[in-house]
Amino acid sequence: MTDESRLESLDALVSLCKRRGYIFQSSEIYGGLNGFWDYGPLGVELRRRIFDSWWSTMVSRREDVVGMDASIITHPRVWEASGHVESFYDMMVDCRECNRRFRLDHLIQDAVDNGTLDAIFPDRDNSAAPAEGELPTRCPACAGELTEPRQFALMFETRVGAATDSKSVAYLRPETAQAIFVNFKNVQMSSRQKVPFGIAQVGKAFRNEVTPRNFTFRSREFEQMEMEFFVHPDEERQWFDYWIDARHAWYEQLGIDPTRLRRRDHAKDELAHYASYTTDVEYQFPFGWAELEGVANRGNFDLTQHGEHSGKDQAYFDPTRNEKYVPSVIETSAGLDRTLLTVLADAYALDEIAGEERTVLRLAPHLAPRQVAVFPLSKKLGEPARKLADDLRKRFHAIYDDSGSIGKRYRREDEVGTPYCVTLDFETLEDDAVTVRDRDTTEQERIGLSALGDYLGERLRR
Ligand code: ATP
Protein backbone atom coordinates (compact mmCIF):
# COMPACT_ATOMS: atom_id res chain seq x y z
CA MET A 1 0.00 0.00 0.00
CA THR A 2 1.20 3.55 -0.68
CA ASP A 3 0.16 6.83 0.92
CA GLU A 4 -3.52 7.37 1.20
CA SER A 5 -5.49 10.55 0.81
CA ARG A 6 -8.52 11.65 2.78
CA LEU A 7 -11.78 13.27 1.77
CA GLU A 8 -11.15 16.73 0.33
CA SER A 9 -14.68 17.80 -0.52
CA LEU A 10 -18.07 16.35 0.34
CA ASP A 11 -18.87 15.92 -3.38
CA ALA A 12 -16.99 12.62 -3.65
CA LEU A 13 -18.85 11.30 -0.60
CA VAL A 14 -22.24 12.46 -1.87
CA SER A 15 -21.70 10.53 -5.07
CA LEU A 16 -20.43 7.40 -3.28
CA CYS A 17 -23.47 7.51 -0.96
CA LYS A 18 -25.83 7.61 -3.91
CA ARG A 19 -23.96 5.01 -5.97
CA ARG A 20 -23.75 2.49 -3.16
CA GLY A 21 -27.08 3.07 -1.43
CA TYR A 22 -26.15 4.99 1.70
CA ILE A 23 -28.04 8.25 1.19
CA PHE A 24 -30.28 9.61 -1.59
CA GLN A 25 -31.70 13.05 -2.14
CA SER A 26 -35.32 13.05 -0.96
CA SER A 27 -37.93 12.94 -3.77
CA GLU A 28 -35.10 12.88 -6.30
CA ILE A 29 -37.31 12.00 -9.29
CA TYR A 30 -39.27 15.22 -8.63
CA GLY A 31 -36.10 17.30 -8.53
CA GLY A 32 -35.40 16.83 -4.81
CA LEU A 33 -36.49 18.88 -1.80
CA ASN A 34 -33.80 21.06 -0.30
CA GLY A 35 -32.80 19.99 3.21
CA PHE A 36 -34.36 16.51 3.15
CA TRP A 37 -32.59 13.17 2.64
CA ASP A 38 -33.48 9.48 2.38
CA TYR A 39 -31.38 6.61 3.69
CA GLY A 40 -30.85 3.60 1.43
CA PRO A 41 -30.19 -0.05 2.38
CA LEU A 42 -26.68 0.53 3.74
CA GLY A 43 -27.47 3.94 5.24
CA VAL A 44 -30.30 2.57 7.32
CA GLU A 45 -28.06 -0.21 8.72
CA LEU A 46 -25.32 2.25 9.64
CA ARG A 47 -27.91 4.50 11.31
CA ARG A 48 -29.13 1.60 13.43
CA ARG A 49 -25.61 0.72 14.49
CA ILE A 50 -24.87 4.30 15.55
CA PHE A 51 -28.19 4.48 17.37
CA ASP A 52 -27.44 1.16 19.16
CA SER A 53 -24.00 2.36 20.17
CA TRP A 54 -25.44 5.58 21.61
CA TRP A 55 -28.31 3.85 23.37
CA SER A 56 -26.17 1.16 24.95
CA THR A 57 -23.54 3.68 26.07
CA MET A 58 -26.06 6.20 27.39
CA VAL A 59 -28.92 4.02 28.64
CA SER A 60 -28.65 0.20 28.66
CA ARG A 61 -25.26 -0.01 30.32
CA ARG A 62 -26.06 2.62 32.96
CA GLU A 63 -28.08 2.46 36.11
CA ASP A 64 -28.67 6.20 36.30
CA VAL A 65 -30.17 6.93 32.85
CA VAL A 66 -33.56 5.74 31.55
CA GLY A 67 -35.11 6.10 28.11
CA MET A 68 -38.37 7.42 26.74
CA ASP A 69 -40.03 8.10 23.39
CA ALA A 70 -42.48 11.01 23.13
CA SER A 71 -44.85 12.14 20.40
CA ILE A 72 -43.42 14.54 17.81
CA ILE A 73 -46.36 16.94 18.10
CA THR A 74 -46.99 18.18 21.62
CA HIS A 75 -49.32 20.69 23.19
CA PRO A 76 -48.35 24.05 21.62
CA ARG A 77 -47.97 25.58 25.08
CA VAL A 78 -44.86 23.45 25.55
CA TRP A 79 -43.14 25.70 22.99
CA GLU A 80 -44.47 28.88 24.58
CA ALA A 81 -43.08 27.82 27.96
CA SER A 82 -39.73 26.77 26.50
CA GLY A 83 -39.26 30.16 24.79
CA HIS A 84 -39.25 28.69 21.26
CA VAL A 85 -42.40 30.49 20.03
CA GLU A 86 -40.88 33.80 21.06
CA SER A 87 -37.22 33.32 20.25
CA PHE A 88 -36.52 30.36 17.97
CA TYR A 89 -35.59 32.50 14.98
CA ASP A 90 -32.56 32.98 12.80
CA MET A 91 -31.73 36.39 11.34
CA MET A 92 -31.32 36.31 7.58
CA VAL A 93 -30.35 38.72 4.82
CA ASP A 94 -30.92 38.49 1.08
CA CYS A 95 -28.78 39.91 -1.71
CA ARG A 96 -30.75 42.37 -3.86
CA GLU A 97 -28.59 41.55 -6.88
CA CYS A 98 -28.09 37.77 -6.96
CA ASN A 99 -30.98 36.85 -4.60
CA ARG A 100 -28.76 34.59 -2.50
CA ARG A 101 -29.98 34.14 1.06
CA PHE A 102 -27.63 34.04 4.06
CA ARG A 103 -27.93 33.36 7.76
CA LEU A 104 -26.54 36.54 9.27
CA ASP A 105 -24.41 34.87 11.97
CA HIS A 106 -22.90 32.47 9.39
CA LEU A 107 -22.18 35.27 6.92
CA ILE A 108 -20.15 37.18 9.50
CA GLN A 109 -18.46 34.09 10.98
CA ASP A 110 -17.38 32.84 7.53
CA ALA A 111 -15.87 36.24 6.72
CA VAL A 112 -13.99 36.26 10.06
CA ASP A 113 -12.73 32.68 9.49
CA ASN A 114 -11.70 33.30 5.89
CA GLY A 115 -10.23 36.78 6.42
CA THR A 116 -12.71 38.30 3.96
CA LEU A 117 -14.36 40.93 6.17
CA ASP A 118 -13.48 43.65 3.61
CA ALA A 119 -15.87 42.05 1.14
CA ILE A 120 -18.91 42.33 3.40
CA PHE A 121 -17.87 45.45 5.39
CA PRO A 122 -16.17 47.52 2.63
CA ASP A 123 -16.31 50.83 4.56
CA ARG A 124 -14.97 49.61 7.87
CA ASP A 125 -11.51 49.18 9.37
CA ASN A 126 -11.51 45.41 9.53
CA SER A 127 -8.37 44.93 11.59
CA ALA A 128 -10.70 44.07 14.50
CA ALA A 129 -13.64 41.64 14.35
CA PRO A 130 -17.10 43.25 14.08
CA ALA A 131 -18.89 44.03 17.33
CA GLU A 132 -22.19 42.37 18.17
CA GLY A 133 -25.01 43.98 16.18
CA GLU A 134 -22.81 45.40 13.38
CA LEU A 135 -24.47 44.68 10.05
CA PRO A 136 -22.68 43.72 6.83
CA THR A 137 -23.50 45.84 3.76
CA ARG A 138 -22.32 43.74 0.82
CA CYS A 139 -22.95 40.25 -0.51
CA PRO A 140 -19.84 38.01 -0.22
CA ALA A 141 -20.72 36.32 -3.52
CA CYS A 142 -21.39 39.26 -5.87
CA ALA A 143 -20.78 42.43 -3.77
CA GLY A 144 -24.43 43.35 -4.32
CA GLU A 145 -26.45 45.33 -1.77
CA LEU A 146 -27.96 43.33 1.11
CA THR A 147 -31.48 43.73 2.53
CA GLU A 148 -32.09 44.65 6.16
CA PRO A 149 -31.94 41.54 8.36
CA ARG A 150 -35.25 39.78 8.91
CA GLN A 151 -36.39 37.15 11.37
CA PHE A 152 -36.94 33.67 10.00
CA ALA A 153 -39.04 31.34 12.19
CA LEU A 154 -37.43 27.92 12.46
CA MET A 155 -40.40 25.91 13.73
CA PHE A 156 -42.62 24.13 11.21
CA GLU A 157 -46.27 24.83 11.87
CA THR A 158 -49.07 22.39 11.32
CA ARG A 159 -52.71 22.06 12.36
CA VAL A 160 -54.35 19.52 14.61
CA GLY A 161 -57.99 18.51 14.04
CA ALA A 162 -60.61 19.86 11.64
CA ALA A 163 -60.73 23.48 12.86
CA THR A 164 -58.55 26.02 11.09
CA ASP A 165 -58.53 28.77 13.73
CA SER A 166 -55.45 29.88 15.63
CA LYS A 167 -56.22 27.39 18.41
CA SER A 168 -55.53 24.47 16.10
CA VAL A 169 -51.93 25.54 15.37
CA ALA A 170 -49.29 23.08 16.56
CA TYR A 171 -45.59 22.60 15.84
CA LEU A 172 -43.33 19.79 14.70
CA ARG A 173 -40.81 19.63 17.55
CA PRO A 174 -37.54 21.47 16.85
CA GLU A 175 -35.75 19.44 19.55
CA THR A 176 -36.52 16.31 21.53
CA ALA A 177 -35.49 17.83 24.86
CA GLN A 178 -38.76 19.55 25.81
CA ALA A 179 -40.78 16.32 25.86
CA ILE A 180 -38.26 15.01 28.39
CA PHE A 181 -38.78 18.05 30.63
CA VAL A 182 -42.56 17.85 30.54
CA ASN A 183 -42.33 14.14 31.47
CA PHE A 184 -39.80 14.70 34.26
CA LYS A 185 -42.23 13.78 37.05
CA ASN A 186 -43.83 10.88 35.17
CA VAL A 187 -40.49 9.27 34.45
CA GLN A 188 -38.89 10.03 37.81
CA MET A 189 -41.76 8.59 39.80
CA SER A 190 -42.51 5.58 37.60
CA SER A 191 -38.85 4.52 37.35
CA ARG A 192 -38.14 5.41 41.01
CA GLN A 193 -34.96 7.23 40.02
CA LYS A 194 -33.30 9.63 42.44
CA VAL A 195 -31.42 12.79 41.46
CA PRO A 196 -28.79 12.66 40.00
CA PHE A 197 -30.25 10.72 37.08
CA GLY A 198 -30.91 11.20 33.38
CA ILE A 199 -33.63 10.70 30.78
CA ALA A 200 -32.62 9.91 27.20
CA GLN A 201 -34.53 10.08 23.94
CA VAL A 202 -33.78 9.57 20.25
CA GLY A 203 -36.14 10.91 17.64
CA LYS A 204 -36.90 13.20 14.76
CA ALA A 205 -36.66 16.96 15.06
CA PHE A 206 -37.61 19.54 12.45
CA ARG A 207 -36.21 23.00 11.74
CA ASN A 208 -36.98 25.14 8.75
CA GLU A 209 -33.29 26.02 8.37
CA VAL A 210 -32.58 29.19 6.35
CA THR A 211 -29.72 27.61 4.46
CA PRO A 212 -29.58 23.81 4.62
CA ARG A 213 -26.18 22.75 3.31
CA ASN A 214 -23.16 20.52 3.44
CA PHE A 215 -25.06 17.35 2.51
CA THR A 216 -26.92 16.04 5.58
CA PHE A 217 -24.94 18.23 8.01
CA ARG A 218 -27.68 20.85 8.17
CA SER A 219 -31.02 19.34 7.19
CA ARG A 220 -34.59 20.39 7.83
CA GLU A 221 -35.61 17.00 9.18
CA PHE A 222 -33.06 15.18 11.31
CA GLU A 223 -32.73 12.87 14.25
CA GLN A 224 -31.46 13.94 17.64
CA MET A 225 -29.99 11.81 20.42
CA GLU A 226 -30.52 13.79 23.59
CA MET A 227 -30.07 13.14 27.28
CA GLU A 228 -31.12 15.44 30.12
CA PHE A 229 -29.29 14.75 33.37
CA PHE A 230 -30.99 16.15 36.49
CA VAL A 231 -28.66 17.22 39.30
CA HIS A 232 -28.59 19.21 42.54
CA PRO A 233 -27.69 22.85 41.72
CA ASP A 234 -24.43 22.53 43.70
CA GLU A 235 -23.28 19.71 41.43
CA GLU A 236 -23.75 21.35 38.01
CA ARG A 237 -20.06 21.86 37.24
CA GLN A 238 -18.87 18.39 38.22
CA TRP A 239 -21.56 16.69 36.15
CA PHE A 240 -20.96 19.00 33.21
CA ASP A 241 -17.26 18.08 33.25
CA TYR A 242 -18.14 14.41 33.53
CA TRP A 243 -20.51 14.50 30.56
CA ILE A 244 -18.32 16.48 28.20
CA ASP A 245 -15.52 13.92 28.77
CA ALA A 246 -17.92 11.00 28.28
CA ARG A 247 -19.41 12.43 25.10
CA HIS A 248 -16.05 13.28 23.56
CA ALA A 249 -14.89 9.70 24.29
CA TRP A 250 -17.93 8.25 22.50
CA TYR A 251 -16.87 9.75 19.15
CA GLU A 252 -13.46 8.16 19.60
CA GLN A 253 -15.14 4.81 20.29
CA LEU A 254 -16.85 5.14 16.91
CA GLY A 255 -13.37 5.03 15.40
CA ILE A 256 -13.25 8.72 14.46
CA ASP A 257 -9.73 10.13 14.11
CA PRO A 258 -9.06 11.84 17.49
CA THR A 259 -6.91 14.53 15.84
CA ARG A 260 -10.03 15.68 13.97
CA LEU A 261 -12.07 16.06 17.13
CA ARG A 262 -11.92 19.03 19.48
CA ARG A 263 -13.96 20.86 22.10
CA ARG A 264 -15.03 24.46 21.87
CA ASP A 265 -16.57 26.55 24.67
CA HIS A 266 -19.36 28.89 23.59
CA ALA A 267 -18.63 32.60 23.99
CA LYS A 268 -21.11 34.56 26.12
CA ASP A 269 -22.90 36.11 23.11
CA GLU A 270 -23.42 32.69 21.46
CA LEU A 271 -25.14 31.04 24.39
CA ALA A 272 -28.77 29.99 23.98
CA HIS A 273 -31.26 31.85 26.17
CA TYR A 274 -31.47 28.93 28.61
CA ALA A 275 -27.80 28.03 29.01
CA SER A 276 -25.18 29.36 31.43
CA TYR A 277 -22.35 27.52 29.71
CA THR A 278 -22.03 25.20 26.73
CA THR A 279 -19.18 23.24 25.18
CA ASP A 280 -19.42 21.73 21.71
CA VAL A 281 -17.65 18.65 20.43
CA GLU A 282 -16.52 19.56 16.92
CA TYR A 283 -15.15 17.64 13.93
CA GLN A 284 -12.86 18.90 11.20
CA PHE A 285 -14.94 18.39 8.04
CA PRO A 286 -13.62 19.20 4.56
CA PHE A 287 -15.59 22.49 4.92
CA GLY A 288 -14.03 23.34 8.33
CA TRP A 289 -14.56 22.67 12.02
CA ALA A 290 -18.24 22.23 12.88
CA GLU A 291 -20.43 21.15 15.79
CA LEU A 292 -21.31 17.49 16.34
CA GLU A 293 -22.82 17.84 19.76
CA GLY A 294 -23.51 20.44 22.41
CA VAL A 295 -23.15 19.78 26.13
CA ALA A 296 -24.98 22.54 28.00
CA ASN A 297 -25.77 23.54 31.54
CA ARG A 298 -29.43 24.51 31.20
CA GLY A 299 -29.76 25.24 34.94
CA ASN A 300 -33.37 24.90 36.11
CA PHE A 301 -34.74 27.10 33.32
CA ASP A 302 -36.91 24.48 31.61
CA LEU A 303 -38.42 22.82 34.66
CA THR A 304 -39.16 26.21 36.20
CA GLN A 305 -40.82 27.47 33.01
CA HIS A 306 -42.98 24.36 32.66
CA GLY A 307 -43.87 24.55 36.36
CA GLU A 308 -45.05 28.15 35.92
CA HIS A 309 -46.86 27.69 32.60
CA SER A 310 -48.63 24.46 33.54
CA GLY A 311 -49.30 25.34 37.17
CA LYS A 312 -47.82 21.94 38.13
CA ASP A 313 -44.93 22.28 40.50
CA GLN A 314 -41.81 20.58 39.12
CA ALA A 315 -39.78 20.72 42.34
CA TYR A 316 -38.28 17.47 43.56
CA PHE A 317 -37.91 16.26 47.12
CA ASP A 318 -34.43 14.85 47.60
CA PRO A 319 -34.63 12.13 50.28
CA THR A 320 -30.84 11.93 50.66
CA ARG A 321 -30.47 15.64 51.36
CA ASN A 322 -33.90 16.05 52.94
CA GLU A 323 -34.35 19.10 50.69
CA LYS A 324 -36.87 20.26 48.08
CA TYR A 325 -35.54 21.98 44.95
CA VAL A 326 -35.97 22.31 41.19
CA PRO A 327 -33.09 20.24 39.74
CA SER A 328 -30.56 21.73 37.35
CA VAL A 329 -30.05 20.00 34.02
CA ILE A 330 -26.92 19.05 32.12
CA GLU A 331 -27.90 18.32 28.53
CA THR A 332 -26.02 16.28 25.95
CA SER A 333 -27.49 16.92 22.50
CA ALA A 334 -26.14 15.04 19.48
CA GLY A 335 -27.36 14.52 15.92
CA LEU A 336 -27.71 11.01 14.51
CA ASP A 337 -27.48 12.16 10.89
CA ARG A 338 -24.54 14.39 11.67
CA THR A 339 -22.73 11.56 13.44
CA LEU A 340 -23.38 9.29 10.46
CA LEU A 341 -22.00 11.90 8.08
CA THR A 342 -18.93 12.26 10.30
CA VAL A 343 -18.36 8.51 10.43
CA LEU A 344 -18.53 8.31 6.62
CA ALA A 345 -16.42 11.41 5.98
CA ASP A 346 -13.77 10.22 8.43
CA ALA A 347 -13.69 6.70 6.98
CA TYR A 348 -13.35 7.79 3.34
CA ALA A 349 -9.89 7.21 1.86
CA LEU A 350 -8.20 6.78 -1.49
CA ASP A 351 -5.16 4.56 -1.71
CA GLU A 352 -3.27 2.43 -4.17
CA ILE A 353 -2.84 -1.32 -4.20
CA ALA A 354 -0.53 -2.92 -6.74
CA GLY A 355 -0.61 0.23 -8.84
CA GLU A 356 -4.39 0.42 -8.85
CA GLU A 357 -6.27 3.22 -7.11
CA ARG A 358 -9.13 2.24 -4.84
CA THR A 359 -11.74 4.04 -2.73
CA VAL A 360 -12.16 2.52 0.68
CA LEU A 361 -14.42 3.28 3.63
CA ARG A 362 -12.35 2.45 6.69
CA LEU A 363 -15.39 2.13 8.96
CA ALA A 364 -14.83 0.74 12.45
CA PRO A 365 -15.70 -2.96 11.97
CA HIS A 366 -18.43 -2.87 14.65
CA LEU A 367 -20.23 -0.11 12.71
CA ALA A 368 -19.89 -1.49 9.17
CA PRO A 369 -23.38 -2.03 7.74
CA ARG A 370 -22.20 -5.01 5.70
CA GLN A 371 -19.83 -7.15 7.68
CA VAL A 372 -18.90 -10.04 5.41
CA ALA A 373 -19.08 -10.75 1.66
CA VAL A 374 -18.80 -14.32 0.44
CA PHE A 375 -17.39 -14.97 -3.04
CA PRO A 376 -17.14 -18.24 -4.93
CA LEU A 377 -13.93 -18.20 -7.00
CA SER A 378 -15.94 -19.66 -9.87
CA LYS A 379 -19.68 -19.85 -10.45
CA LYS A 380 -19.26 -23.62 -10.23
CA LEU A 381 -18.72 -23.16 -6.51
CA GLY A 382 -21.98 -21.20 -6.17
CA GLU A 383 -23.80 -23.79 -4.12
CA PRO A 384 -21.34 -24.24 -1.22
CA ALA A 385 -20.60 -20.49 -1.23
CA ARG A 386 -24.31 -19.63 -0.94
CA LYS A 387 -24.63 -22.11 1.88
CA LEU A 388 -21.69 -20.48 3.68
CA ALA A 389 -23.28 -17.03 3.24
CA ASP A 390 -26.57 -18.38 4.68
CA ASP A 391 -24.72 -19.79 7.69
CA LEU A 392 -22.81 -16.57 8.31
CA ARG A 393 -26.03 -14.56 8.00
CA LYS A 394 -27.23 -16.11 11.26
CA ARG A 395 -24.57 -14.10 13.07
CA PHE A 396 -23.51 -11.33 10.72
CA HIS A 397 -24.76 -9.04 8.02
CA ALA A 398 -23.44 -11.10 5.08
CA ILE A 399 -23.95 -11.09 1.31
CA TYR A 400 -23.18 -13.50 -1.51
CA ASP A 401 -21.67 -12.13 -4.72
CA ASP A 402 -20.51 -14.08 -7.77
CA SER A 403 -20.41 -11.38 -10.43
CA GLY A 404 -17.19 -10.03 -11.93
CA SER A 405 -13.57 -10.88 -11.19
CA ILE A 406 -12.52 -11.34 -7.57
CA GLY A 407 -10.57 -8.05 -7.82
CA LYS A 408 -13.70 -6.20 -8.92
CA ARG A 409 -15.71 -7.75 -6.10
CA TYR A 410 -13.08 -6.63 -3.58
CA ARG A 411 -13.24 -3.04 -4.92
CA ARG A 412 -17.02 -2.97 -4.57
CA GLU A 413 -16.82 -4.12 -0.96
CA ASP A 414 -13.96 -1.72 -0.16
CA GLU A 415 -16.12 1.14 -1.34
CA VAL A 416 -19.00 0.26 0.96
CA GLY A 417 -16.65 -0.48 3.86
CA THR A 418 -17.13 -4.26 4.26
CA PRO A 419 -14.34 -5.30 6.67
CA TYR A 420 -14.01 -8.94 5.50
CA CYS A 421 -14.34 -10.79 2.20
CA VAL A 422 -14.36 -14.58 2.25
CA THR A 423 -13.43 -16.47 -0.91
CA LEU A 424 -14.34 -20.09 -1.40
CA ASP A 425 -12.13 -21.89 -3.97
CA PHE A 426 -11.67 -25.44 -5.31
CA GLU A 427 -9.27 -26.26 -2.50
CA THR A 428 -12.04 -25.56 -0.01
CA LEU A 429 -13.69 -28.77 -1.13
CA GLU A 430 -10.52 -30.61 -0.04
CA ASP A 431 -9.33 -28.73 3.05
CA ASP A 432 -12.53 -27.16 4.45
CA ALA A 433 -10.80 -23.76 4.58
CA VAL A 434 -11.42 -20.36 2.94
CA THR A 435 -9.41 -17.22 2.24
CA VAL A 436 -10.33 -14.22 4.39
CA ARG A 437 -9.21 -10.86 3.08
CA ASP A 438 -8.90 -7.84 5.36
CA ARG A 439 -10.25 -4.57 3.92
CA ASP A 440 -7.63 -2.29 5.48
CA THR A 441 -4.42 -4.28 5.08
CA THR A 442 -5.68 -6.26 2.02
CA GLU A 443 -3.82 -9.21 3.56
CA GLN A 444 -5.28 -12.67 3.13
CA GLU A 445 -5.40 -15.50 5.59
CA ARG A 446 -6.47 -19.13 5.17
CA ILE A 447 -9.03 -20.01 7.86
CA GLY A 448 -10.74 -23.33 8.56
CA LEU A 449 -14.52 -23.25 8.07
CA SER A 450 -15.14 -24.47 11.61
CA ALA A 451 -13.15 -21.52 13.04
CA LEU A 452 -14.53 -18.87 10.65
CA GLY A 453 -17.52 -17.71 12.75
CA ASP A 454 -15.43 -17.05 15.84
CA TYR A 455 -12.62 -15.50 13.77
CA LEU A 456 -15.06 -12.93 12.33
CA GLY A 457 -17.05 -12.53 15.56
CA GLU A 458 -13.94 -11.52 17.47
CA ARG A 459 -12.96 -8.92 14.89
CA LEU A 460 -16.42 -7.44 14.38
CA ARG A 461 -17.09 -6.92 18.06
CA ARG A 462 -16.42 -3.49 19.51
P1 ATP B 1 -26.89 25.86 14.80
O1 ATP B 1 -26.64 27.04 15.68
O2 ATP B 1 -25.67 25.36 14.09
O3 ATP B 1 -28.07 26.02 13.90
P2 ATP B 1 -27.65 24.61 17.21
O4 ATP B 1 -26.45 24.93 18.02
O5 ATP B 1 -28.92 25.35 17.41
O6 ATP B 1 -27.27 24.60 15.70
P3 ATP B 1 -28.50 22.45 18.74
O7 ATP B 1 -29.82 23.00 19.04
O8 ATP B 1 -27.42 22.53 19.78
O9 ATP B 1 -27.95 23.07 17.39
O10 ATP B 1 -28.69 20.95 18.24
C1 ATP B 1 -28.08 19.86 18.87
C2 ATP B 1 -27.53 18.89 17.85
O11 ATP B 1 -28.57 18.51 16.94
C3 ATP B 1 -26.45 19.48 16.97
O12 ATP B 1 -25.18 19.37 17.60
C4 ATP B 1 -26.53 18.62 15.74
O13 ATP B 1 -25.83 17.40 15.91
C5 ATP B 1 -28.02 18.33 15.64
N1 ATP B 1 -28.63 19.29 14.70
C6 ATP B 1 -29.12 20.52 14.99
N2 ATP B 1 -29.61 21.11 13.88
C7 ATP B 1 -29.43 20.22 12.88
C8 ATP B 1 -29.75 20.23 11.48
N3 ATP B 1 -30.35 21.27 10.93
N4 ATP B 1 -29.43 19.15 10.73
C9 ATP B 1 -28.81 18.07 11.29
N5 ATP B 1 -28.51 18.01 12.59
C10 ATP B 1 -28.80 19.06 13.39
Side-chain angles (χ1 to χ4, degrees):
M1 252 188 296
T2 60
D3 287 352
E4 67 168 36
S5 58
R6 308 278 297 262
L7 189 67
E8 280 169 10
S9 116
L10 283 183
D11 296 346
L13 185 63
V14 174
S15 102
L16 183 149
C17 283
K18 178 178 161 153
R19 197 166 62 242
R20 295 299 186 201
Y22 271 100
I23 303 172
F24 309 120
Q25 194 181 16
S26 163
S27 329
E28 192 192 77
I29 61 169
Y30 288 99
L33 186 61
N34 198 9
F36 296 89
W37 300 93
D38 295 342
Y39 288 84
L42 293 177
V44 76
E45 294 287 342
L46 180 55
R47 247 175 113 76
R48 283 188 36 201
R49 285 174 199 279
I50 294 171
F51 166 87
D52 286 346
S53 167
W54 189 88
W55 194 265
S56 64
T57 307
M58 298 297 284
V59 187
S60 323
R61 290 191 202 148
R62 299 188 66 104
E63 216 177 4
D64 57 354
V65 179
V66 290
M68 65 166 288
D69 187 20
S71 65
I72 286 176
I73 295 176
T74 54
H75 197 294
R77 291 194 55 206
V78 168
W79 307 108
E80 287 167 21
S82 68
H84 282 80
V85 170
E86 197 178 281
S87 60
F88 201 49
Y89 288 96
D90 275 338
M91 298 305 288
M92 63 174 193
V93 288
D94 292 306
C95 173
R96 292 188 204 278
E97 303 292 322
C98 67
N99 295 322
R100 280 193 180 82
R101 174 163 289 178
F102 303 95
R103 214 171 108 174
L104 187 58
D105 57 337
H106 287 173
L107 183 69
I108 296 173
Q109 192 58 49
D110 287 352
V112 170
D113 291 347
N114 305 330
T116 53
L117 280 171
D118 288 346
I120 62 167
F121 289 105
D123 303 323
R124 179 180 178 279
D125 167 17
N126 291 312
S127 52
E132 209 188 324
E134 265 190 89
L135 296 176
T137 54
R138 291 285 160 193
C139 168
C142 77
E145 196 188 328
L146 295 173
T147 61
E148 285 293 301
R150 276 179 295 153
Q151 285 187 332
F152 189 82
L154 291 173
M155 280 203 293
F156 281 103
E157 274 186 23
T158 185
R159 288 185 184 277
V160 174
T164 52
D165 57 16
S166 63
K167 287 201 198 107
S168 67
V169 170
Y171 304 96
L172 301 188
R173 66 181 176 200
E175 61 175 32
T176 59
Q178 292 306 322
I180 295 180
F181 298 129
V182 301
N183 277 293
F184 168 65
K185 288 253 151 161
N186 278 340
V187 175
Q188 186 268 319
M189 288 194 273
S190 60
S191 62
R192 296 168 53 235
Q193 286 283 347
K194 293 192 183 78
V195 169
F197 80 100
I199 306 176
Q201 178 171 214
V202 176
K204 291 273 189 180
F206 303 82
R207 295 181 189 176
N208 198 5
E209 297 280 0
V210 179
T211 47
R213 60 175 164 174
N214 294 328
F215 199 14
T216 58
F217 180 84
R218 187 175 299 285
S219 316
R220 289 180 165 140
E221 174 178 336
F222 54 95
E223 195 133 340
Q224 286 189 315
M225 306 183 286
E226 295 196 301
M227 194 277 306
E228 308 298 328
F229 201 75
F230 301 90
V231 302
H232 185 277
D234 290 350
E235 295 185 347
E236 288 174 357
R237 187 37 96 168
Q238 80 192 59
W239 279 109
F240 180 88
D241 291 344
Y242 169 84
W243 280 113
I244 186 71
D245 284 347
R247 296 306 307 144
H248 189 154
W250 183 70
Y251 292 96
E252 295 185 3
Q253 280 166 33
L254 295 183
I256 293 167
D257 178 354
T259 67
R260 287 175 184 246
L261 289 169
R262 72 172 188 195
R263 300 176 192 187
R264 191 181 67 82
D265 297 337
H266 278 213
K268 280 252 160 331
D269 61 358
E270 267 187 279
L271 287 169
H273 61 278
Y274 50 75
S276 52
Y277 42 88
T278 297
T279 300
D280 290 343
V281 179
E282 296 189 332
Y283 177 76
Q284 191 177 27
F285 286 97
F287 55 85
W289 288 95
E291 170 183 340
L292 298 183
E293 167 157 1
V295 176
N297 175 7
R298 296 180 78 123
N300 63 15
F301 175 83
D302 305 273
L303 288 182
T304 303
Q305 286 291 105
H306 289 302
E308 282 169 10
H309 282 246
S310 67
K312 310 262 170 15
D313 185 18
Q314 297 297 307
Y316 163 82
F317 178 73
D318 188 328
T320 316
R321 295 174 184 259
N322 198 19
E323 181 188 342
K324 194 174 176 191
Y325 55 89
V326 179
S328 295
V329 176
I330 305 302
E331 170 180 86
T332 69
S333 178
L336 179 49
D337 310 83
R338 222 174 250 192
T339 307
L340 190 146
L341 177 66
T342 309
V343 162
L344 288 176
D346 198 67
Y348 185 101
L350 289 174
D351 67 10
E352 221 178 88
I353 308 165
E356 204 188 317
E357 194 171 80
R358 70 164 180 166
T359 307
V360 54
L361 284 188
R362 298 194 191 284
L363 296 169
H366 71 280
L367 288 185
R370 185 183 295 160
Q371 298 172 305
V372 192
V374 179
F375 307 150
L377 186 65
S378 138
K379 284 198 177 154
K380 288 187 194 127
L381 294 163
E383 204 187 309
R386 265 187 207 283
K387 191 176 159 302
L388 177 60
D390 288 346
D391 279 352
L392 290 174
R393 211 170 281 125
K394 291 177 191 141
R395 281 181 72 179
F396 310 106
H397 196 285
I399 62 140
Y400 166 88
D401 185 5
D402 63 12
S403 82
S405 68
I406 291 283
K408 233 190 191 138
R409 287 181 248 171
Y410 282 154
R411 295 298 164 276
R412 271 203 294 269
E413 297 308 317
D414 289 343
E415 222 188 28
V416 304
T418 312
Y420 297 100
C421 293
V422 172
T423 303
L424 196 140
D425 52 33
F426 290 100
E427 255 183 83
T428 306
L429 306 178
E430 314 287 317
D431 68 355
D432 273 342
V434 284
T435 302
V436 180
R437 184 251 199 193
D438 179 293
R439 175 198 68 199
D440 295 335
T441 61
T442 73
E443 270 162 25
Q444 307 190 5
E445 230 182 303
R446 195 83 183 157
I447 306 288
L449 280 174
S450 58
L452 183 62
D454 288 346
Y455 176 94
L456 293 171
E458 224 167 81
R459 286 161 178 77
L460 292 166
R461 219 182 28 219
R462 194 174 85 196

